[in-house]
Amino acid sequence: MLVDDNLHRPLEVVLAIPVRTYDIDFVGIVSNIVYIRWLEDLRLKFLDEHWELNQQLEQGYAPVLAGTEIEYKRSIKISDRVIGRLWLSNLGRLKWTVKAEILSNDELAAIATQKGAFISLENGRPIQIPEEFQKKYFQSQQVV
């Protein structure tokens, strides 16, 4: 089962995620906090592929995370094969939303939604979504 039936996932990235011994809690499954790190890994891959973080920093702004929601569907163990997927699900004037799913052995293990914005590095205040990002997102919407 996938996050939703809409298989159009703008700017989707996919990441094979190794389960490490330090990811496992005292009952032998991946600790809930590890999913937060995996979401960070997925967002960094997203930035590497689509919104070059270093370029943003050079231009005086950066993305910030405003919230995370995770729904755990099944446990993950150290021997499981884990794949993460993340895509931009909404882009407003000031805010962005990404959705993610974590699959374990091709079964849905968790779904997540994260919301954020871009801030000015000069004053720490939110800025309008940069035009080049809006353009890339809306172009990806045309590909349906």
Side-chain angles (χ1 to χ4, degrees):
M1 180 175 185
L2 303 174
V3 171
D4 56 37
D5 292 333
N6 179 5
L7 292 181
H8 178 63
R9 297 174 171 186
L11 310 175
E12 181 180 37
V13 296
V14 179
L15 181 65
I17 301 172
V19 180
R20 309 286 189 198
T21 54
Y22 52 79
D23 295 333
I24 304 302
D25 65 15
F26 69 98
V27 294
I29 60 174
V30 170
S31 174
N32 291 354
I33 194 66
V34 172
Y35 292 79
I36 299 293
R37 191 183 75 238
W38 289 350
L39 290 171
E40 181 75 13
D41 292 340
L42 282 161
R43 281 195 328 280
L44 287 170
K45 181 173 174 84
F46 182 87
L47 290 172
D48 286 345
E49 290 189 18
H50 300 296
W51 288 1
E52 304 167 16
L53 183 58
N54 287 336
Q55 183 181 3
Q56 293 176 48
L57 297 174
E58 289 171 7
Q59 294 176 2
Y61 61 89
V64 293
L65 193 58
T68 299
E69 293 181 20
I70 300 177
E71 185 178 338
Y72 303 99
K73 300 289 192 179
R74 63 188 308 269
S75 299
I76 297 177
K77 297 181 179 161
I78 195 161
S79 60
D80 291 348
R81 185 177 45 81
V82 179
I83 301 290
R85 299 177 180 276
L86 179 134
W87 61 95
L88 187 61
S89 65
N90 189 36
L91 190 65
R93 191 175 73 77
L94 293 173
K95 297 178 182 177
W96 50 261
T97 303
V98 293
K99 289 192 177 183
E101 63 184 18
I102 306 291
L103 299 149
S104 173
N105 301 324
D106 297 322
E107 292 186 42
L108 189 62
I111 57 175
T113 301
Q114 293 188 305
K115 296 182 179 192
F118 289 92
I119 62 164
S120 163
L121 296 177
E122 185 177 312
N123 61 23
R125 298 186 53 85
I127 64 168
Q128 187 169 345
I129 301 292
E131 186 177 330
E132 65 269 21
F133 300 152
Q134 291 179 24
K135 182 184 268 187
K136 189 168 190 171
Y137 174 69
F138 291 117
Q139 286 174 347
S140 73
Q141 294 289 78
Q142 305 291 321
V143 178
V144 178

